Amino acid sequence: MQGLRTLAVAAVVVFHASAALLPGGFVGVDVFFVISGYLISSHLVRQLSAGRFRFADFYARRIRRLVPAALLVLVVTLIASYVLLSPLRITSVSRDAAATALYVPNIWFSYTGVDYLADHTPSPYQQYWSLGVEEQFYLVWPLLLVVAWKLGRGSLKIVTATLVALLVVSFGLSVLLTPQYETWAFFNLPMRAWQFAVGGAVGLAHLTARPGPARGPSWLRPVLAWLGLTVVVACCVLLSEDVAYPGAMALVPTVGTALVLWASRPGDRLGPSALLDRRPMQWLGDRSYSIYLWHWPLLIIPAAMIGSLPLWVAAIMVAATLVLAHVTYLYVENPARNAGVLKRMRAWRFLALSAVVVGVVAVAAVASGSILSKRPIASDQTATPIADLSTVEFTPYVPANGVPILQNAGKDLPKASEDGCSPGRYSSEVIVCAFGEPEAAVTYALFGDSHAAQWFPVAEQIATRDGARLLVVIKASCPSVDLTSFKDGLADTFCTDWREAAVERLTREGVDHVIVANLHHQSDGDGGLVGAAEWSEAAGRTVAALAPSKVTVVADTPYFKTSPINCAIAHVDDLSPCIAPRDDVIDARWVDAERAAVEAAGGTYADMSDLYCSDVCGPYIGDTLVYRDNHHLTASFTETLAEPLGEILLPR
């Protein structure tokens, strides 16, 4: 068992250290799930058969086994994140820590839209998602098992039937939901429970097996065990982040693990036990839990500081992981598991104390994040208010009177982005937010993704100026041009359906003038980026589809390779490293191609880049921060320049 754990944790660690070395190493988590289902189900049935099962005792043992090391790594990671990561991440990291302390990080990451296999700025707590799934399984499965045991009067057939039903329903949900709801399917128990159930089925098969020689030829079990191990290793090597996961594909490593568990026998010199039972494998397996906890922050925090880690640096971090895991195993895991004072404490009292400790850690994480996020980050110099400038003048430092303050840049959103005008990731509902005069004779509309939403302050002031009604039709991460959207190599049907329905709704509303804006950087089906020619043709089709409304397409805003905000934080007194040549962040050929296609389709084209760039583009103009990340404008900036922008978009 420990040797199999070694294989699982090694796959995950190598995958996170360098996905190129083991592109399918993420299946190591699947191996852990099957092992957990095997051990817990076997333990529960043995306890029920002997009449010794007590809920409080079971959960107390789980807490002593898992929580101390998890809380240690959580606290150390939180402190390290506060010290080493960008101050902009303090709030999100503290909330991630709180969700982790409460053992619901998987649900939290689903809610916040984290993509485990593709996220470029992952949480330092992201490895805890699988522990959240396991703890939630430990919470639910004993209840189901006890009910099945009582109803079946101790019949293993009823228990087995319950296990099979859980397996079938959960696997069906995984297959059904993964193509369109991959994030939710990946992170959450209902779509993962079947993997625990597979392990549980193997455990029950072992418990009910008749003593004596195994049936069939003696070579069959070793062959099946080696086959299972080969399947798991092949998945680690051959799968990649491009595959929709878990879904049906997760069945392969799950069944492979089940074969190893079912067919392996300790001391069998012909089977994988000859490899998995060796002392180094056992040593690593004993420490696999602490290895899993420590490896992620040791890899991800340095990567967040310096960018992608060279392989030799990743190797050093893995070595450090082994050292910390060994120390944690000796001085935290084992002492907490075997502490007499904790074992002697009444189980319910211990559970109550544990709940208090976990609650205190969660509250402390959120409170500390709230306090630290309010620290000012600026130079001691002030800047000229942007309203007093007649030309684009970049401020070469972070002004003490800057608007907004740097740490609030990500929250400087237009009202349309905060009022629920955008449907969720897994929705194609067209939400129409109306502003301005409800009974006005003239109707304007703002249509597109978050790059359309960023122009809302301008559009709203134009509507107010003209006494018009303004409709906002936006969907984040979903461009409004007539182009198939892709996410992780899969067509995003929610986006396509939304766009088609939105165009129909706008034409039905009789809108006089539609303002269209979108992020140009869009993935194609091959994992690359959509080219200028394909995009421009799609923009032309959208202009034509919106007829007879007048249509103005807004040229996209600059796209920086790294966030100007992070750069400004690191260079508050000298922003010269944060100022980029215009040609590096704006593709003039793309703008020309889009302009030609839009005008050929009867639309007008608004290139407003001269209002935020000269021959360079910088983070501050006067006292105002221009960008909230590497490609969105702040609402403060667009509000300040609403009048000149309005004249470009919709001249009187």
Side-chain angles (χ1 to χ4, degrees):
M1 192 68 65
Q2 296 302 74
L4 198 53
R5 281 188 169 129
T6 296
L7 174 65
V9 77
V12 173
V13 171
V14 173
F15 169 68
H16 288 151
S18 175
L21 291 178
L22 204 64
F26 55 86
V27 304
V29 174
D30 302 67
V31 176
F32 277 127
F33 286 165
V34 178
I35 293 173
S36 294
Y38 175 90
L39 294 174
I40 292 302
S41 298
S42 302
H43 169 76
L44 289 172
V45 170
R46 282 195 295 266
Q47 290 281 303
L48 288 169
S49 299
R52 295 196 304 267
F53 178 75
R54 300 290 184 273
F55 281 108
D57 292 338
F58 172 79
Y59 293 125
R61 282 194 298 272
R62 290 289 89 204
I63 290 173
R64 287 198 303 271
R65 167 71 179 89
L66 299 174
V67 172
L71 287 184
L72 170 67
V73 177
L74 184 154
V75 172
V76 172
T77 300
L78 186 63
I79 295 171
S81 298
Y82 285 167
V83 173
L84 300 174
L85 295 184
S86 165
L88 295 179
R89 298 190 64 182
I90 286 176
T91 299
S92 63
V93 167
S94 65
R95 291 174 178 174
D96 292 348
T100 297
L102 298 173
Y103 271 90
V104 291
N106 56 318
I107 299 173
W108 172 248
F109 292 144
S110 299
Y111 173 74
T112 55
V114 168
D115 189 334
Y116 177 82
L117 296 179
D119 205 302
H120 299 296
T121 56
S123 166
Y125 293 101
Q126 201 158 295
Q127 85 280 25
Y128 279 89
W129 77 269
S130 63
L131 304 183
V133 173
E134 289 206 21
E135 287 302 300
Q136 290 151 28
F137 177 78
Y138 296 154
L139 184 65
V140 173
W141 179 231
L143 298 173
L144 291 177
L145 199 58
V146 168
V147 170
W149 186 267
K150 296 292 185 183
L151 292 177
R153 298 180 181 180
S155 169
L156 283 178
K157 290 183 179 180
I158 300 299
V159 172
T160 302
T162 303
L163 195 68
V164 171
L166 174 67
L167 192 161
V168 171
V169 172
S170 175
F171 180 68
L173 286 174
S174 179
V175 172
L176 179 66
L177 298 181
T178 294
Q180 296 294 339
Y181 302 90
E182 185 173 2
T183 296
W184 283 95
F186 191 95
F187 281 125
N188 288 293
L189 178 62
M191 284 67 72
R192 290 287 194 168
W194 66 273
Q195 296 180 294
F196 295 91
V198 168
V202 176
L204 291 183
H206 280 173
L207 288 176
T208 57
R210 294 182 180 180
R215 296 181 180 180
S218 59
W219 53 264
L220 181 59
R221 282 186 180 274
V223 167
L224 290 176
W226 277 114
L227 175 62
L229 190 63
T230 301
V231 166
V232 173
V233 173
C235 288
C236 292
V237 174
L238 299 177
L239 291 182
S240 72
E241 301 167 86
D242 295 332
V243 67
Y245 208 82
M249 184 57 67
L251 186 65
V252 181
T254 300
V255 171
T257 305
L259 280 175
V260 177
L261 290 174
W262 181 77
S264 292
R265 290 292 182 270
D268 186 353
R269 291 183 296 176
L270 296 178
S273 297
L275 170 65
L276 299 177
D277 290 348
R278 291 185 178 274
R279 184 170 297 178
M281 301 290 282
Q282 295 296 303
W283 189 92
L284 289 169
D286 288 340
R287 291 152 183 81
S288 60
Y289 178 57
S290 288
I291 292 172
Y292 183 80
L293 289 174
W294 281 114
H295 87 282
W296 180 255
L298 285 174
L299 289 169
I300 207 63
I301 292 177
M305 295 169 60
I306 66 174
S308 179
L309 296 184
L311 190 57
W312 66 271
V313 176
I316 292 174
M317 293 299 101
V318 171
T321 295
L322 297 180
V323 173
L324 286 174
H326 180 59
V327 172
T328 304
Y329 176 75
L330 290 181
Y331 299 108
V332 179
E333 276 196 71
N334 276 344
R337 187 188 313 168
N338 301 316
V341 64
L342 298 181
K343 285 185 174 182
R344 289 190 296 271
M345 188 182 295
R346 287 183 176 273
W348 287 109
R349 184 175 298 174
F350 175 73
L351 292 176
L353 176 63
S354 300
V356 170
V357 171
V358 166
V360 167
V361 171
V363 171
V366 174
S368 62
S370 178
I371 293 170
L372 292 174
S373 65
K374 292 180 171 61
R375 293 180 302 177
I377 305 170
S379 70
D380 57 2
Q381 305 177 73
T382 58
T384 304
I386 194 172
D388 295 339
L389 298 177
S390 57
T391 60
V392 175
E393 295 182 19
F394 297 112
T395 303
Y397 49 81
V398 177
N401 60 333
V403 180
I405 60 174
L406 270 178
Q407 54 265 51
N408 286 346
K411 304 173 186 176
D412 198 57
L413 302 169
K415 185 166 60 174
S417 294
E418 297 177 324
D419 282 359
C421 296
S422 175
R425 161 77 178 86
Y426 300 115
S427 173
S428 55
E429 177 188 6
V430 177
I431 299 175
V432 179
C433 290
F435 301 88
E437 297 294 330
E439 304 299 327
V442 176
T443 299
Y444 298 148
L446 189 60
F447 181 37
D449 57 16
S450 59
H451 277 222
Q454 69 185 352
W455 295 114
F456 171 78
V458 177
E460 185 180 37
Q461 290 199 31
I462 294 171
T464 301
R465 179 195 73 184
D466 296 347
R469 182 174 64 135
L470 173 64
L471 304 182
V472 176
V473 183
I474 57 175
K475 179 173 167 61
S477 302
C478 183
S480 57
V481 300
D482 185 16
L483 194 72
T484 300
S485 296
F486 290 88
K487 183 173 176 59
D488 302 330
L490 299 174
D492 186 348
T493 57
F494 293 105
C495 185
T496 301
D497 292 345
W498 170 82
R499 181 178 59 253
E500 292 175 353
V503 169
E504 181 183 350
R505 176 69 180 271
L506 287 170
T507 54
R508 190 169 68 245
E509 289 281 347
V511 176
D512 296 281
H513 203 136
V514 182
I515 302 168
V516 176
N518 297 284
L519 170 65
H520 285 172
H521 283 64
Q522 300 292 335
S523 298
D524 60 21
D526 298 323
L529 292 176
V530 174
E534 184 180 2
W535 174 275
S536 299
E537 291 174 3
R541 290 195 295 271
T542 295
V543 171
L546 290 169
S549 301
K550 295 180 180 179
V551 181
T552 296
V553 175
V554 182
D556 200 9
T557 43
Y559 195 101
F560 291 80
K561 294 178 181 177
T562 58
S563 172
I565 311 305
N566 292 333
C567 181
I569 287 172
H571 302 88
V572 294
D573 294 312
D574 179 15
L575 291 177
S576 56
C578 311
I579 297 176
R582 179 176 180 141
D583 291 343
D584 287 355
V585 295
I586 297 176
D587 189 336
R589 291 174 300 177
W590 186 296
V591 172
D592 291 341
E594 186 176 39
R595 182 194 302 275
V598 167
E599 292 178 349
T604 58
Y605 196 72
D607 180 3
M608 296 177 287
S609 55
D610 286 342
L611 291 173
Y612 40 76
C613 292
S614 56
D615 57 338
V616 296
C617 303
Y620 278 92
I621 298 177
D623 64 343
T624 304
L625 181 63
V626 180
Y627 306 97
R628 70 174 192 259
D629 54 27
N630 67 318
H631 57 86
H632 286 100
L633 303 176
T634 63
S636 296
F637 175 72
T638 53
E639 286 170 358
T640 302
L641 295 183
E643 184 175 346
L645 290 174
E647 288 300 320
I648 295 174
L649 276 175
L650 290 172
R652 284 183 260 197

